[in-house]
CSV table of all heavy atoms in Angstrom, one decimal:
chain,number,residue,atom,x,y,z
A,323,LYS,N,36.8,-2.5,61.3
A,323,LYS,CA,37.5,-3.3,60.1
A,323,LYS,C,37.3,-4.8,60.4
A,323,LYS,O,37.7,-5.6,59.4
A,323,LYS,CB,38.9,-3.1,60.4
A,323,LYS,CG,39.5,-1.8,60.4
A,323,LYS,CD,41.1,-1.6,60.4
A,323,LYS,CE,41.7,-2.7,59.7
A,323,LYS,NZ,43.2,-2.6,60.0
A,326,HIS,N,39.3,-10.7,61.1
A,326,HIS,CA,40.4,-11.1,60.2
A,326,HIS,C,41.3,-10.1,59.6
A,326,HIS,O,42.5,-10.3,59.3
A,326,HIS,CB,40.0,-11.9,59.1
A,326,HIS,CG,39.3,-13.4,59.6
A,326,HIS,ND1,38.0,-13.4,59.7
A,326,HIS,CD2,39.9,-14.3,60.2
A,326,HIS,CE1,37.8,-14.8,60.3
A,326,HIS,NE2,38.9,-15.3,60.5
A,327,ASN,N,40.8,-8.8,59.5
A,327,ASN,CA,41.6,-7.7,58.8
A,327,ASN,C,42.5,-7.1,59.9
A,327,ASN,O,42.9,-6.0,59.6
A,327,ASN,CB,40.4,-6.7,58.1
A,327,ASN,CG,41.2,-5.8,57.2
A,327,ASN,OD1,42.3,-6.1,56.8
A,327,ASN,ND2,40.5,-4.7,57.1
A,402,ARG,N,31.3,5.2,60.7
A,402,ARG,CA,32.2,4.1,60.2
A,402,ARG,C,32.2,2.9,61.2
A,402,ARG,O,32.7,1.8,60.6
A,402,ARG,CB,33.7,4.8,60.4
A,402,ARG,CG,34.0,5.8,59.3
A,402,ARG,CD,35.3,6.5,59.3
A,402,ARG,NE,36.4,5.4,59.0
A,402,ARG,CZ,36.7,5.1,57.9
A,402,ARG,NH1,36.2,5.8,56.8
A,402,ARG,NH2,37.7,4.3,57.7
A,408,GLY,N,26.9,-7.1,65.3
A,408,GLY,CA,26.6,-7.2,63.8
A,408,GLY,C,27.8,-7.5,63.3
A,408,GLY,O,28.0,-8.5,62.2
A,409,ASN,N,29.0,-6.8,63.3
A,409,ASN,CA,30.3,-7.0,62.6
A,409,ASN,C,30.8,-8.4,62.7
A,409,ASN,O,31.0,-9.2,61.8
A,409,ASN,CB,31.3,-6.0,63.1
A,409,ASN,CG,31.2,-4.8,62.3
A,409,ASN,OD1,30.2,-4.2,62.4
A,409,ASN,ND2,32.4,-4.5,61.7
A,411,GLY,N,29.4,-11.0,64.3
A,411,GLY,CA,28.4,-12.1,64.0
A,411,GLY,C,28.3,-12.4,62.6
A,411,GLY,O,28.4,-13.6,62.3
A,412,GLN,N,28.4,-11.4,61.7
A,412,GLN,CA,28.5,-11.8,60.3
A,412,GLN,C,29.7,-12.5,59.8
A,412,GLN,O,29.8,-13.4,59.1
A,412,GLN,CB,28.3,-10.6,59.5
A,412,GLN,CG,27.0,-9.7,59.5
A,412,GLN,CD,25.9,-10.4,58.6
A,412,GLN,OE1,26.1,-11.5,58.1
A,412,GLN,NE2,24.9,-9.7,58.5
A,416,ALA,N,29.2,-18.0,61.7
A,416,ALA,CA,29.2,-19.4,61.2
A,416,ALA,C,30.5,-20.3,61.3
A,416,ALA,O,30.5,-21.4,60.9
A,416,ALA,CB,28.8,-19.2,59.7
A,417,LEU,N,31.5,-19.6,61.9
A,417,LEU,CA,32.7,-20.2,61.7
A,417,LEU,C,33.2,-20.8,63.2
A,417,LEU,O,34.0,-21.6,63.2
A,417,LEU,CB,33.9,-19.3,61.4
A,417,LEU,CG,33.7,-18.6,60.1
A,417,LEU,CD1,34.8,-17.7,59.9
A,417,LEU,CD2,33.6,-19.5,58.9
A,419,GLU,N,31.9,-21.7,67.2
A,419,GLU,CA,30.9,-21.8,68.2
A,419,GLU,C,31.1,-21.0,69.4
A,419,GLU,O,30.1,-20.5,69.9
A,419,GLU,CB,30.7,-23.4,68.6
A,419,GLU,CG,29.9,-24.2,67.7
A,419,GLU,CD,28.5,-23.7,67.7
A,419,GLU,OE1,27.7,-23.7,68.6
A,419,GLU,OE2,28.2,-23.0,66.5
A,422,ARG,N,30.2,-17.5,68.3
A,422,ARG,CA,28.7,-17.4,68.1
A,422,ARG,C,28.0,-17.4,69.5
A,422,ARG,O,27.1,-16.5,69.6
A,422,ARG,CB,28.3,-18.7,67.4
A,422,ARG,CG,26.9,-18.6,67.0
A,422,ARG,CD,26.3,-19.8,66.1
A,422,ARG,NE,26.2,-20.9,67.0
A,422,ARG,CZ,25.2,-21.3,67.8
A,422,ARG,NH1,24.1,-20.4,67.9
A,422,ARG,NH2,25.1,-22.3,68.5
A,426,LEU,N,25.8,-14.1,70.6
A,426,LEU,CA,24.4,-14.4,70.9
A,426,LEU,C,24.1,-14.0,72.3
A,426,LEU,O,23.0,-13.4,72.6
A,426,LEU,CB,24.0,-15.9,70.6
A,426,LEU,CG,22.5,-16.2,70.7
A,426,LEU,CD1,21.8,-15.3,69.7
A,426,LEU,CD2,22.3,-17.6,70.3
A,460,LYS,N,13.0,-8.9,70.5
A,460,LYS,CA,13.9,-9.5,69.5
A,460,LYS,C,13.8,-8.7,68.2
A,460,LYS,O,14.6,-8.4,67.4
A,460,LYS,CB,13.5,-11.0,69.2
A,460,LYS,CG,14.0,-11.9,70.2
A,460,LYS,CD,13.7,-13.2,69.7
A,460,LYS,CE,14.5,-14.3,70.4
A,460,LYS,NZ,14.8,-15.6,69.6
A,461,LEU,N,12.5,-8.4,67.7
A,461,LEU,CA,12.3,-7.6,66.5
A,461,LEU,C,13.0,-6.3,66.6
A,461,LEU,O,13.7,-5.9,65.6
A,461,LEU,CB,10.8,-7.3,66.4
A,461,LEU,CG,10.4,-6.3,65.3
A,461,LEU,CD1,10.7,-7.0,64.0
A,461,LEU,CD2,8.9,-6.0,65.4
A,464,TYR,N,16.9,-7.1,66.1
A,464,TYR,CA,17.2,-7.4,64.7
A,464,TYR,C,17.0,-6.2,63.7
A,464,TYR,O,17.9,-6.0,62.9
A,464,TYR,CB,16.6,-8.7,64.2
A,464,TYR,CG,17.1,-10.0,65.1
A,464,TYR,CD1,16.3,-10.8,65.6
A,464,TYR,CD2,18.5,-10.1,65.2
A,464,TYR,CE1,16.8,-11.9,66.4
A,464,TYR,CE2,19.0,-11.0,65.8
A,464,TYR,CZ,18.2,-12.0,66.5
A,464,TYR,OH,18.8,-13.0,67.1
A,468,GLY,N,20.2,-4.4,61.6
A,468,GLY,CA,20.0,-4.0,60.2
A,468,GLY,C,20.2,-2.6,59.8
A,468,GLY,O,20.9,-2.3,58.9
A,471,LEU,N,23.9,-1.7,60.0
A,471,LEU,CA,24.5,-1.9,58.7
A,471,LEU,C,24.0,-0.8,57.8
A,471,LEU,O,25.0,-0.3,56.9
A,471,LEU,CB,23.9,-3.2,58.2
A,471,LEU,CG,24.3,-3.5,56.7
A,471,LEU,CD1,25.7,-3.8,56.5
A,471,LEU,CD2,23.5,-4.8,56.2
A,472,GLY,N,22.8,-0.4,57.6
A,472,GLY,CA,22.3,0.7,56.8
A,472,GLY,C,23.0,2.0,57.1
A,472,GLY,O,23.3,2.6,56.1
A,474,LYS,N,25.9,2.4,58.2
A,474,LYS,CA,27.4,2.4,57.6
A,474,LYS,C,27.4,2.5,56.1
A,474,LYS,O,28.2,3.1,55.5
A,474,LYS,CB,27.9,0.9,58.0
A,474,LYS,CG,29.2,0.9,58.6
A,474,LYS,CD,29.5,-0.5,59.1
A,474,LYS,CE,31.0,-0.6,59.3
A,474,LYS,NZ,31.4,-1.9,60.0
A,475,LEU,N,26.4,1.7,55.5
A,475,LEU,CA,26.4,1.8,53.9
A,475,LEU,C,25.8,3.1,53.4
A,475,LEU,O,26.4,3.7,52.4
A,475,LEU,CB,25.5,0.7,53.4
A,475,LEU,CG,25.9,-0.7,53.5
A,475,LEU,CD1,25.0,-1.7,53.0
A,475,LEU,CD2,27.2,-1.0,52.9
A,476,GLU,N,24.9,3.8,54.1
A,476,GLU,CA,24.4,5.0,53.6
A,476,GLU,C,25.2,6.2,54.2
A,476,GLU,O,25.0,7.4,53.7
A,476,GLU,CB,22.9,5.2,54.1
A,476,GLU,CG,21.9,4.3,53.3
A,476,GLU,CD,20.5,4.6,53.6
A,476,GLU,OE1,20.2,5.8,53.8
A,476,GLU,OE2,19.7,3.7,53.5
A,477,LYS,N,26.1,6.0,55.1
A,477,LYS,CA,26.9,7.0,55.9
A,477,LYS,C,25.8,8.2,56.4
A,477,LYS,O,26.0,9.2,56.2
A,477,LYS,CB,27.8,7.7,54.9
A,477,LYS,CG,29.1,6.8,54.8
A,477,LYS,CD,30.2,7.8,54.0
A,477,LYS,CE,31.5,7.1,54.1
A,477,LYS,NZ,32.5,7.9,53.3
A,481,PRO,N,18.8,5.4,58.3
A,481,PRO,CA,18.2,4.0,58.6
A,481,PRO,C,17.9,3.8,60.0
A,481,PRO,O,16.8,3.2,60.4
A,481,PRO,CB,19.4,3.1,58.2
A,481,PRO,CG,20.2,3.9,57.1
A,481,PRO,CD,20.0,5.3,57.6
A,488,ALA,N,9.7,3.6,63.2
A,488,ALA,CA,8.8,2.6,62.8
A,488,ALA,C,8.5,1.7,64.1
A,488,ALA,O,7.4,1.2,64.4
A,488,ALA,CB,9.4,1.6,61.7
B,288,HIS,N,38.2,-10.9,54.1
B,288,HIS,CA,39.7,-11.0,54.4
B,288,HIS,C,40.0,-12.4,54.8
B,288,HIS,O,41.2,-12.7,54.9
B,288,HIS,CB,39.8,-10.0,55.6
B,288,HIS,CG,39.8,-8.5,55.1
B,288,HIS,ND1,38.7,-7.7,55.5
B,288,HIS,CD2,40.7,-7.8,54.4
B,288,HIS,CE1,38.9,-6.5,55.0
B,288,HIS,NE2,40.0,-6.6,54.4
B,289,ASN,N,39.1,-13.2,55.2
B,289,ASN,CA,39.3,-14.6,55.7
B,289,ASN,C,39.4,-15.5,54.5
B,289,ASN,O,39.5,-16.7,54.7
B,289,ASN,CB,38.3,-15.0,56.7
B,289,ASN,CG,38.6,-16.2,57.4
B,289,ASN,OD1,39.7,-16.5,57.6
B,289,ASN,ND2,37.6,-16.9,57.9
B,364,ARG,N,24.3,-21.1,57.9
B,364,ARG,CA,25.8,-20.8,57.9
B,364,ARG,C,25.9,-19.7,57.1
B,364,ARG,O,27.0,-18.9,57.2
B,364,ARG,CB,26.6,-21.9,57.6
B,364,ARG,CG,26.5,-23.1,58.5
B,364,ARG,CD,27.6,-24.3,58.0
B,364,ARG,NE,29.0,-23.8,57.9
B,364,ARG,CZ,29.8,-23.7,59.0
B,364,ARG,NH1,29.3,-24.1,60.3
B,364,ARG,NH2,30.9,-23.2,58.9
B,370,GLY,N,25.0,-8.0,53.7
B,370,GLY,CA,25.2,-7.8,55.2
B,370,GLY,C,26.5,-8.2,55.5
B,370,GLY,O,27.3,-7.5,56.3
B,371,ASN,N,27.0,-9.2,55.1
B,371,ASN,CA,28.5,-9.7,55.4
B,371,ASN,C,29.6,-8.7,55.0
B,371,ASN,O,30.3,-8.2,55.8
B,371,ASN,CB,28.8,-11.0,54.8
B,371,ASN,CG,28.3,-12.2,55.6
B,371,ASN,OD1,27.3,-12.3,56.0
B,371,ASN,ND2,29.3,-13.1,55.8
B,373,GLY,N,29.0,-5.8,53.7
B,373,GLY,CA,28.6,-4.4,54.2
B,373,GLY,C,29.4,-4.1,55.6
B,373,GLY,O,29.9,-3.1,55.8
B,374,GLN,N,29.2,-5.1,56.6
B,374,GLN,CA,29.7,-4.9,57.8
B,374,GLN,C,31.3,-4.9,57.8
B,374,GLN,O,31.9,-4.1,58.4
B,374,GLN,CB,29.4,-6.1,58.7
B,374,GLN,CG,27.9,-6.1,59.1
B,374,GLN,CD,27.6,-5.1,60.2
B,374,GLN,OE1,28.2,-4.2,60.6
B,374,GLN,NE2,26.4,-5.2,60.8
B,378,ALA,N,32.9,0.4,55.6
B,378,ALA,CA,33.6,1.7,56.1
B,378,ALA,C,35.1,1.8,55.7
B,378,ALA,O,35.7,2.8,55.9
B,378,ALA,CB,33.7,1.5,57.7
B,379,LEU,N,35.5,0.7,54.9
B,379,LEU,CA,36.8,0.9,54.4
B,379,LEU,C,37.1,1.2,53.0
B,379,LEU,O,38.2,1.6,52.7
B,379,LEU,CB,37.4,-0.8,54.7
B,379,LEU,CG,37.3,-1.3,56.0
B,379,LEU,CD1,38.0,-2.7,56.1
B,379,LEU,CD2,38.1,-0.5,57.0
B,381,GLU,N,35.4,2.9,49.5
B,381,GLU,CA,34.2,3.5,48.8
B,381,GLU,C,33.6,2.8,47.6
B,381,GLU,O,32.4,2.7,47.4
B,381,GLU,CB,34.6,4.9,48.3
B,381,GLU,CG,34.5,6.0,49.3
B,381,GLU,CD,33.0,6.2,50.0
B,381,GLU,OE1,32.2,6.7,49.4
B,381,GLU,OE2,32.8,5.8,51.0
B,384,ARG,N,31.6,0.0,49.1
B,384,ARG,CA,30.3,0.5,49.9
B,384,ARG,C,29.2,0.9,48.9
B,384,ARG,O,28.1,0.6,49.0
B,384,ARG,CB,30.8,1.8,50.6
B,384,ARG,CG,29.5,2.4,51.5
B,384,ARG,CD,30.0,3.7,52.2
B,384,ARG,NE,30.1,4.8,51.4
B,384,ARG,CZ,29.2,5.6,51.0
B,384,ARG,NH1,27.9,5.3,51.3
B,384,ARG,NH2,29.4,6.7,50.1
B,388,LEU,N,25.6,-0.8,48.6
B,388,LEU,CA,24.4,0.2,48.6
B,388,LEU,C,23.5,0.1,47.5
B,388,LEU,O,22.4,0.0,47.6
B,388,LEU,CB,25.0,1.5,48.9
B,388,LEU,CG,23.9,2.5,49.2
B,388,LEU,CD1,22.9,2.1,50.5
B,388,LEU,CD2,24.5,3.9,49.5
B,422,LYS,N,12.5,0.4,52.7
B,422,LYS,CA,13.8,0.5,53.5
B,422,LYS,C,13.7,-0.2,54.9
B,422,LYS,O,14.6,-1.1,55.1
B,422,LYS,CB,14.3,1.9,53.7
B,422,LYS,CG,14.9,2.6,52.6
B,422,LYS,CD,15.3,3.9,53.0
B,422,LYS,CE,16.4,4.5,52.0
B,422,LYS,NZ,17.3,5.3,52.5
B,423,LEU,N,12.5,0.0,55.4
B,423,LEU,CA,12.5,-0.7,56.8
B,423,LEU,C,12.5,-2.3,56.6
B,423,LEU,O,13.2,-3.0,57.4
B,423,LEU,CB,11.1,-0.4,57.4
B,423,LEU,CG,10.7,-1.0,58.7
B,423,LEU,CD1,11.7,-0.7,59.9
B,423,LEU,CD2,9.3,-0.6,59.1
B,426,TYR,N,16.1,-3.4,55.9
B,426,TYR,CA,17.1,-3.3,57.1
B,426,TYR,C,16.6,-4.3,58.2
B,426,TYR,O,17.5,-5.0,58.8
B,426,TYR,CB,17.2,-1.7,57.7
B,426,TYR,CG,18.0,-1.0,56.7
B,426,TYR,CD1,17.6,0.3,56.2
B,426,TYR,CD2,19.3,-1.6,56.2
B,426,TYR,CE1,18.3,1.0,55.3
B,426,TYR,CE2,20.0,-0.8,55.2
B,426,TYR,CZ,19.5,0.4,54.8
B,426,TYR,OH,20.3,1.2,54.0
B,430,GLY,N,19.1,-7.6,59.6
B,430,GLY,CA,19.3,-7.8,60.9
B,430,GLY,C,18.8,-9.3,61.2
B,430,GLY,O,19.4,-10.0,61.9
B,433,LEU,N,21.3,-11.8,60.1
B,433,LEU,CA,22.4,-12.0,61.1
B,433,LEU,C,21.8,-12.8,62.3
B,433,LEU,O,22.5,-13.7,62.8
B,433,LEU,CB,22.7,-10.5,61.7
B,433,LEU,CG,23.5,-10.4,63.0
B,433,LEU,CD1,25.0,-10.9,62.9
B,433,LEU,CD2,23.5,-9.0,63.5
B,434,GLY,N,20.6,-12.5,62.7
B,434,GLY,CA,20.0,-13.4,63.9
B,434,GLY,C,20.0,-14.8,63.5
B,434,GLY,O,20.1,-15.6,64.4
B,436,LYS,N,21.9,-16.4,61.7
B,436,LYS,CA,23.1,-17.0,61.7
B,436,LYS,C,23.5,-17.3,63.1
B,436,LYS,O,24.1,-18.3,63.4
B,436,LYS,CB,24.1,-16.0,61.1
B,436,LYS,CG,25.2,-16.6,60.1
B,436,LYS,CD,25.9,-15.5,59.4
B,436,LYS,CE,27.2,-16.1,58.7
B,436,LYS,NZ,28.0,-15.0,58.0
B,437,LEU,N,23.2,-16.3,64.0
B,437,LEU,CA,23.6,-16.4,65.4
B,437,LEU,C,22.8,-17.4,66.2
B,437,LEU,O,23.3,-18.2,67.2
B,437,LEU,CB,23.5,-15.0,66.2
B,437,LEU,CG,24.6,-14.1,65.8
B,437,LEU,CD1,24.3,-12.7,66.6
B,437,LEU,CD2,26.0,-14.5,66.1
B,438,GLU,N,21.5,-17.5,65.9
B,438,GLU,CA,20.6,-18.5,66.6
B,438,GLU,C,20.6,-19.8,65.8
B,438,GLU,O,20.0,-20.7,66.5
B,438,GLU,CB,19.1,-17.8,66.4
B,438,GLU,CG,18.9,-16.7,67.5
B,438,GLU,CD,17.5,-16.3,67.7
B,438,GLU,OE1,16.6,-17.2,67.7
B,438,GLU,OE2,17.3,-15.0,68.2
B,439,LYS,N,21.2,-19.9,64.7
B,439,LYS,CA,21.1,-21.1,63.9
B,439,LYS,C,19.6,-21.7,63.7
B,439,LYS,O,19.3,-22.7,64.0
B,439,LYS,CB,21.9,-22.3,64.5
B,439,LYS,CG,23.3,-22.1,64.3
B,439,LYS,CD,24.0,-23.5,64.7
B,439,LYS,CE,25.4,-23.5,64.3
B,439,LYS,NZ,26.2,-24.7,64.8
B,443,PRO,N,14.3,-15.9,63.8
B,443,PRO,CA,14.4,-14.3,63.5
B,443,PRO,C,13.9,-14.0,62.1
B,443,PRO,O,13.2,-12.8,62.1
B,443,PRO,CB,16.0,-14.1,63.5
B,443,PRO,CG,16.5,-15.2,64.4
B,443,PRO,CD,15.6,-16.5,64.0
B,450,ALA,N,6.1,-9.7,61.6
B,450,ALA,CA,6.0,-8.4,62.1
B,450,ALA,C,5.8,-7.3,60.9
B,450,ALA,O,4.9,-6.5,60.9
B,450,ALA,CB,7.2,-7.9,62.9
B,454,HIS,N,2.5,-5.2,60.1
B,454,HIS,CA,2.6,-3.8,60.2
B,454,HIS,C,1.9,-3.3,58.8
B,454,HIS,O,1.1,-2.3,58.9
B,454,HIS,CB,4.1,-3.4,60.2
B,454,HIS,CG,4.2,-1.9,60.3
B,454,HIS,ND1,3.6,-1.2,61.4
B,454,HIS,CD2,5.0,-1.1,59.5
B,454,HIS,CE1,4.1,0.1,61.2
B,454,HIS,NE2,4.8,0.2,60.1
Side-chain angles (χ1 to χ4, degrees):
Chain A
K323 306 178 43 184
H326 289 107
N327 192 27
R402 294 181 60 83
N409 271 55
Q412 292 281 14
L417 302 180
E419 273 301 288
R422 184 181 74 79
L426 184 57
K460 283 189 157 202
L461 175 66
Y464 288 132
L471 166 73
K474 225 172 168 179
L475 288 178
E476 294 190 23
K477 282 189 167 180
Chain B
H288 290 106
N289 191 26
R364 295 181 60 82
N371 271 53
Q374 292 281 14
L379 302 181
E381 273 301 289
R384 185 182 73 82
L388 184 57
K422 282 190 158 201
L423 175 65
Y426 288 131
L433 165 72
K436 226 173 166 180
L437 288 178
E438 294 190 23
K439 282 191 169 178
H454 187 56

